[in-house]
C-alpha cells in the first residue's frame, strides 16, 4: 500500500506531496497531522539526499520501505512494500 508520495528538490523544498494514508499522530496530542507530515518530509529529505549514489534506491524508514528516484535533480520518494516499489519503478520506466 502506498502511504505517501513526495517530490522534493535538493534544497528540501517539497514540490508535491500526496498522502494516501494519514501519518500516525502521537497519542499525547502534542502535534497535529500537518506537523507530523512536515516532520516526516524533513526526515525523508535528510535520508534521501545523504544517501550515496552507489547504493540501492530502496531505503528503510521506520517500518516502511522507501523507494527513491532522482529525475532532473528532483527526488521522488514513495513508501510502500518492496513489491509495490518494484512495480512502481517499472511503471514509470526506470
Amino acid at each position: 500500500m502506498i502511504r505517501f508520495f513526495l517530490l522534493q528538490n535538493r534544497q528540501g523544498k517539497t514540490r508535491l506531496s500526496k498522502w494516501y494514508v494519514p501519518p500516525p499522530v502521537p497519542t499525547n496530542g502534542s502535534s497535529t497531522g500537518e506537523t507530523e507530515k512536515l516532520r516526516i518530509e524533513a526526515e525523508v529529505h535528510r535520508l534521501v539526499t545523504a544517501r550515496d549514489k552507489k547504493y540501492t534506491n530502496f531505503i528503510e524508514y521506520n517500518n516502511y520501505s522507501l523507494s527513491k528516484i532522482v529525475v532532473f535533480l528532483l527526488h521522488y520518494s514513495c513508501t510502500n512494500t518492496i513489491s509495490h516499489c518494484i512495480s512502481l519503478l517499472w511503471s514509470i520506466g526506470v
Side-chain angles (χ1 to χ4, degrees):
M1 169 191 283
I2 296 176
R3 299 194 179 273
F4 60 83
F5 181 83
L6 296 176
L7 174 63
Q8 298 173 323
N9 63 9
R10 278 192 198 264
Q11 289 77 30
K13 181 167 183 163
T14 301
R15 300 293 184 177
L16 172 75
S17 79
K18 175 67 177 167
W19 292 83
Y20 299 102
V21 177
V25 179
T27 56
N28 61 6
S30 63
S31 64
T32 63
E34 289 300 317
T35 308
E36 284 298 308
K37 286 180 184 180
L38 292 175
R39 186 187 61 78
I40 290 172
E41 288 174 8
E43 286 181 11
V44 167
H45 179 261
R46 279 193 294 272
L47 283 173
V48 168
T49 55
R51 192 159 180 93
D52 196 8
K53 291 181 182 179
K54 67 180 178 181
Y55 296 116
T56 182
N57 289 334
F58 298 104
I59 303 169
E60 290 293 322
Y61 172 71
N62 289 345
N63 294 333
Y64 311 120
S65 296
L66 208 106
S67 63
K68 170 191 91 152
I69 306 165
V70 179
V71 180
F72 299 116
L73 301 179
L74 293 173
H75 298 273
Y76 296 87
S77 302
C78 176
T79 60
N80 44 16
T81 61
I82 293 294
S83 62
H84 287 201
C85 288
I86 292 170
S87 63
L88 175 69
L89 290 173
W90 280 106
S91 67
I92 61 172
V94 173

